[in-house]
Amino acid sequence: MKAHDGMYIDGEWRPAAGADTIAVVNPADEQVIALVPAGTIEDVDAAVRAARDAFPAWAATAPAERAERIGALRDVLAARKDEIAETVTAELGSPLKFSQAVHVGAPIAVAGSYADLAASYAFEEKVGNSTVYLEPVGVVGAITPWNYPLHQIVAKVAPALAAGCTVVLKPAEDTPLTAQLFAEAVHEAGVPAGVFNLVTGLGPVAGQALAEHEGVDLVSFTGSTAVGRQIGATAGAAVKRVALELGGKSANVILPSADLAKAVNVGVANVMSNSGQTCSAWTRMLVHDAQYDEAVSLAAEAAAKYGERIGPVVNAKQRERVRGYIEKGVTEGARLVAGGPEAPREQGYFVRPTVFADVTPDMAIAQEEIFGPVLSIIRYEDEADALRIANGTVYGLAGAVWAGDETEAVAFARRLDTGQVDINGGRFNPRAPFGGYKQSGVGRELGSHGLSEYLQTKSLQF
């Protein structure tokens, strides 16, 4: 598969400062499909300097012109959607139809939303005898994960550009080819040189150098809570802004009045989507005692249908992590009703779609983020018990509530300590804020709330 052997810095592809490379592996067959350069501190420094130099002119550009460039970027991504989807499938292992619809379709919609928002957003307002201006923060260091490689890039870069910021992107080392295609799209869309820059590399080297660089004004990171803590500490020492979208252990609360079959089937689909590699996945299904056995039976039946429908997890380390959690669940006393730790295929990083029943809230599989196709079903006695269990983790990223009456579902959802809740299977909204409570992160992505992360406030009194 085609790959650039350099970095995209200041509007051109430049040779990397070092000779080391990263092998990109197709997780479905374990074959190396490309080599990309492993960025160094020197590469990051060059990219940040380019972004720093480009910032004044881009920040001074009229919002309508920034909107036009983002709109052009959306159009290029749409024109190249098949190529991008095939690339995501090759380096992430996602089934092609899912790559086309979700991995590429969703970020195109997000880019479009920011093209619209940049043109209409109120970057200044009158407050009494003051004029309040919302100005770009400066240079953004964007560090993105592998699970939704294009979406996470667009969710950071598009609002940053709309705000008038310039960007240095360090994508995950497992999925750098999608990031390279994005850089090509930025170039084709006519975004000025230095406004967007790309450095591929390893997190402890290129990622850390970007987070620590004194020329970076804001670090936007999506990934594990453990790494988020490190970035937060680094940024705090420099009094630097951060936006952190971290882990999750989201609860899918099925109230007794809900359509049980629909709630269970949609819940299982949510967990198996993207092979379980979704931070907002509803990995804990909470069911009332009276409906528990039926829900377990429905979930086991639904999970069995995904055996040949989901792709692999991203790499061997992730496969062993997920299988380790499945083994731990069995050891802890949970009842395996679908799947298991055994490898379903001889080749590829595949994991069996797995469902546990008789899970108690204190088990590791009910408390820790597994990041694989593993569902834990937990019983509750009444609404107070369900709320206690749902809020009983360190995370608060997402969740779902099902009830026969929407008012009942909303009343319960308002008491959840979580940033986003789907009511009776509510659809994805690219303009709604996404982000978490507690250890699921700081800040929001998407829509106007996502744009505000990249703005700072100045007031002038008259």
Side-chain angles (χ1 to χ4, degrees):
M1 180 166 284
K2 177 186 175 184
H4 290 277
D5 58 3
M7 311 297 184
Y8 183 75
I9 297 175
D10 204 18
E12 63 180 5
W13 292 95
R14 297 183 180 181
D20 291 344
T21 58
I22 298 169
V24 183
V25 176
N26 184 329
D29 60 16
E30 305 180 44
Q31 299 300 304
V32 174
I33 57 175
L35 298 174
V36 299
T40 64
I41 294 175
E42 290 77 16
D43 292 311
V44 170
D45 184 62
V48 173
R49 284 188 285 107
R52 192 91 255 160
D53 291 345
F55 174 68
W58 183 248
T61 301
E65 186 174 340
R66 298 201 294 264
E68 185 178 346
R69 290 304 102 218
I70 298 169
L73 174 60
R74 171 203 57 205
D75 294 344
V76 174
L77 293 174
R80 301 181 65 176
K81 64 181 185 298
D82 291 339
E83 177 188 7
I84 298 171
E86 290 169 1
T87 300
V88 172
T89 292
E91 63 182 353
L92 181 63
S94 170
L96 184 57
K97 287 185 178 180
F98 190 81
S99 294
Q100 292 168 333
V102 178
H103 284 293
V104 181
I108 289 173
V110 171
S113 74
Y114 279 113
D116 296 339
L117 192 57
S120 61
Y121 194 81
F123 289 95
E124 64 178 82
E125 65 172 332
K126 294 290 293 183
V127 180
N129 67 309
S130 303
T131 301
V132 179
Y133 296 91
L134 298 177
E135 300 180 340
V137 169
V139 174
V140 173
I143 304 174
T144 56
W146 43 262
N147 60 325
Y148 288 91
L150 183 62
H151 172 73
Q152 296 291 352
I153 291 171
V154 171
K156 297 182 188 303
V157 175
L161 299 189
C165 296
T166 54
V167 180
V168 177
L169 169 67
K170 204 299 285 184
E173 50 263 36
D174 291 287
T175 54
L177 303 182
T178 300
Q180 289 189 344
L181 289 180
F182 179 81
E184 291 179 3
V186 167
H187 190 87
E188 190 175 340
V191 175
V195 171
F196 171 82
N197 307 271
L198 169 67
V199 176
T200 55
L202 301 175
V205 180
Q208 183 172 339
L210 184 58
E212 293 177 348
H213 201 291
E214 62 181 9
V216 171
D217 300 294
L218 181 151
V219 180
S220 180
F221 169 79
T222 297
S224 72
T225 298
V227 176
R229 290 194 194 99
Q230 296 173 10
I231 289 175
T234 297
V239 195
K240 183 182 301 186
R241 292 265 297 269
V242 294
L244 304 173
E245 199 270 278
L246 307 175
K249 195 67 183 176
S250 301
N252 179 18
V253 182
I254 305 174
L255 297 176
S257 63
D259 180 335
L260 183 65
K262 181 178 180 181
V264 170
N265 284 323
V266 174
V268 170
N270 176 277
V271 173
M272 302 308 162
S273 176
N274 208 40
S275 301
Q277 300 169 126
T278 303
C279 54
S280 58
W282 311 333
T283 51
R284 295 181 297 146
M285 180 180 290
L286 277 56
V287 185
H288 190 272
D289 275 333
Q291 299 172 315
Y292 190 80
D293 290 341
E294 183 181 358
V296 169
S297 179
L298 288 168
E301 182 180 347
K305 300 175 183 177
Y306 287 88
E308 299 298 323
R309 290 165 55 183
I310 66 172
V313 295
V314 70
N315 55 38
K317 180 180 179 181
Q318 186 64 18
R319 177 188 60 191
E320 295 313 304
R321 169 187 168 85
V322 176
R323 290 170 65 181
Y325 269 107
I326 296 172
E327 291 170 350
K328 184 179 291 186
V330 173
T331 300
E332 288 182 314
R335 176 163 55 99
L336 201 59
V337 297
E342 302 83 6
R345 305 186 192 184
E346 292 184 1
Q347 188 178 48
Y349 308 128
F350 291 89
V351 177
R352 294 181 184 275
T354 297
V355 176
F356 279 106
D358 300 339
V359 178
T360 59
D362 60 328
M363 290 181 179
I365 58 172
Q367 289 289 321
E368 300 173 18
E369 186 175 44
I370 299 173
F371 228 59
V374 181
L375 171 65
S376 295
I377 308 181
I378 305 170
R379 68 174 74 236
Y380 67 85
E381 296 178 356
D382 52 29
E383 280 198 17
D385 191 34
L387 185 66
R388 177 187 63 80
I389 295 169
N391 287 337
T393 75
V394 298
Y395 298 111
L397 185 58
V401 180
W402 300 79
D405 178 66
E406 186 175 289
T407 302
E408 179 188 6
V410 170
F412 190 94
R414 290 296 304 272
R415 291 182 287 164
L416 290 174
D417 297 332
T418 187
Q420 188 172 81
V421 185
D422 292 348
I423 303 297
N424 289 337
R427 300 188 310 276
F428 170 71
N429 181 358
R431 296 175 183 267
F434 178 77
Y437 288 16
K438 300 189 286 188
Q439 293 187 27
S440 284
V442 177
R444 292 296 180 267
E445 294 186 326
L446 305 181
S448 61
H449 293 80
L451 176 58
S452 68
E453 293 292 331
Y454 300 93
L455 295 168
Q456 55 190 349
T457 306
K458 177 186 290 181
S459 64
L460 275 59
Q461 284 60 249
F462 295 90

